Amino acid sequence: MLSVILPAYNEEKMIRKASETIDRILSAEQIPYEIVFVNDGSKDNTWSEIEQAAEENPHVTGILFSRNFGKESAMLAGLAEASGDCCAVMDCDLQHPPETLVEMYRLWEQGYEVIEGVKRTRGKESTLHRMSAGLFYKLISKAVKIDMSRASDFKLLDRRAVDALLSLPERNVFFRALSSWIGFKTVSVEFDVQERTEGESKWSTRSLIQYAIKNIAIFSTTALQCVTIAGVAVFVAAIILGIQTLVRYFSGHAVEGFTTVILLILIIGSLVMISLGIIGYYIGKIYEEVKGRPRYLISRKIGRKEQ
């Protein structure tokens, strides 16, 4: 059986449409399935819509978080509660085309354990968004040694891969990278990002920047290495400036005043403060991991797993 996990945050307009569309496509292909909606602390009527969809379709189940824990936690919760032999994760807004699920499932039947959805086209995006996304994926690809230039959360995982993913102990997770990091027999499927038909995107430029910073810190030490590189660069610059100052002094052309000293203090002070901020961010993530709090808390379940 195929379990389709759909994280949902303020998606009241898309729940029924997503349920009906996936049901129509998978039923036509005679693929046994369940749909697992994970309501990530929505403030609208998303949960009511999930309850209604579960009443109309016995294949639909729902999970309600006690509050908003984030998309990564919602995806992991759906994987943990799913009962399928393979599990697909996709966006509730149907920007990940449901028709691609059929191709992914057929590849799983052929023995592939991780089927990665990669973006052929990204749909309509602002120039700033596209440039920011490109920079982020270049940084994360270099840091984790995995090509993530066209990566997405749209994936189908075999039960063995799901269990391996869920066994990882860290609390702060980057699903898009971890699902590649675990390995297993992998193949890629290209898809075109679809336009949203209802509602609005929950990802602003600010939230995307925060998401990028968080995941780079979670999955790599690149930022810490940048601190070392900056320190070396300042040290080299200080040596050059020191030599220049000594040459001017002994040649009788020393510059009067404290301009050079002030500039050095400002540059070094700024680098020290930025470095402390980066180190502090990593220490904060370590603190979150050490506390060992659960990734999410479930308030209610409905459907076949209703409790």
Side-chain angles (χ1 to χ4, degrees):
M1 181 175 70
L2 168 63
S3 296
V4 183
I5 291 95
L6 296 99
Y9 178 69
N10 293 343
E11 294 285 3
E12 60 180 0
K13 296 180 180 180
M14 290 301 301
I15 298 298
R16 304 281 288 282
K17 183 172 184 178
S19 174
E20 292 169 359
T21 302
I22 294 171
D23 173 69
R24 173 174 51 79
I25 292 171
L26 296 183
S27 295
E29 294 292 330
Q30 297 183 341
I31 297 175
Y33 75 94
E34 68 171 351
I35 299 174
V36 183
F37 286 105
V38 184
N39 182 17
D40 185 22
S42 300
K43 296 179 175 61
D44 60 3
N45 294 319
T46 296
W47 182 245
S48 299
E49 291 295 322
I50 292 174
E51 289 180 316
Q52 186 64 35
E55 289 181 6
E56 296 175 357
N57 186 345
H59 297 284
V60 173
T61 65
I63 300 169
L64 174 64
F65 278 178
S66 61
R67 65 170 179 83
N68 178 257
F69 285 94
K71 184 180 180 182
E72 307 290 332
S73 294
M75 290 187 287
L76 291 176
L79 291 172
E81 296 296 322
S83 56
D85 302 301
C86 58
C87 302
V89 178
M90 63 181 292
D91 287 350
C92 187
D93 56 16
L94 299 184
Q95 288 191 293
H96 295 157
E99 295 81 4
T100 308
L101 287 172
V102 177
E103 183 180 357
M104 288 178 163
Y105 185 80
R106 300 307 179 200
L107 287 168
W108 172 75
E109 289 182 319
Q110 295 174 25
Y112 290 100
E113 296 169 296
V114 177
I115 297 90
E116 302 261 6
V118 296
K119 299 173 183 177
R120 182 186 295 112
T121 58
R122 299 183 61 90
K124 293 182 179 179
E125 292 180 329
S126 66
T127 303
L128 177 60
H129 189 166
R130 187 177 291 107
M131 290 175 62
S132 300
L135 176 60
F136 166 64
Y137 285 119
K138 284 181 181 178
L139 288 172
I140 198 68
S141 296
K142 187 174 182 180
V144 303
K145 306 297 188 295
I146 299 172
D147 182 13
M148 299 190 64
S149 58
R150 297 188 296 160
S152 72
D153 293 324
F154 190 21
K155 304 176 187 293
L156 188 146
L157 308 175
D158 179 76
R159 173 52 59 182
R160 289 179 61 225
V162 171
D163 292 341
L165 190 63
L166 294 175
S167 70
L168 299 177
E170 57 257 47
R171 295 295 180 265
N172 292 290
V173 297
F174 183 20
F175 173 78
R176 197 171 299 186
L178 280 178
S179 56
S180 298
W181 178 87
I182 58 175
F184 293 95
K185 188 177 181 181
T186 303
V187 68
S188 297
V189 172
E190 291 188 333
F191 70 93
D192 297 309
V193 176
Q194 305 298 300
E195 294 302 316
R196 174 186 279 269
T197 58
E198 300 286 349
E200 298 179 352
S201 174
K202 310 305 182 295
W203 292 97
S204 63
T205 300
R206 179 182 177 183
S207 62
L208 285 170
I209 292 173
Q210 291 175 336
Y211 179 76
I213 293 172
K214 173 186 173 183
N215 288 315
I216 288 174
I218 287 172
F219 213 78
S220 77
T221 59
T222 302
L224 288 175
Q225 293 167 5
C226 288
V227 172
T228 304
I229 294 170
V232 172
V234 171
F235 178 70
V236 172
I239 291 175
I240 295 172
L241 189 59
I243 293 172
Q244 182 187 34
T245 302
L246 289 173
V247 170
R248 286 174 176 268
Y249 176 79
F250 287 114
S251 63
H253 299 289
V255 179
E256 296 182 358
F258 300 95
T259 304
T260 304
V261 175
I262 291 172
L263 287 174
L264 278 173
I265 292 173
L266 289 174
I267 292 170
I268 295 173
S270 299
L271 283 172
V272 169
M273 295 304 294
I274 292 171
S275 301
L276 287 174
I278 294 172
I279 294 169
Y281 190 82
Y282 274 89
I283 292 173
K285 291 300 175 186
I286 294 171
Y287 174 62
E288 291 178 5
E289 291 289 334
V290 169
K291 285 189 292 188
R293 291 179 180 173
R295 293 166 177 157
Y296 53 83
L297 295 173
I298 295 176
S299 176
R300 277 192 64 193
K301 301 178 187 177
I302 58 171
R304 288 186 297 182
K305 293 181 179 294
E306 186 167 359
Q307 296 180 358

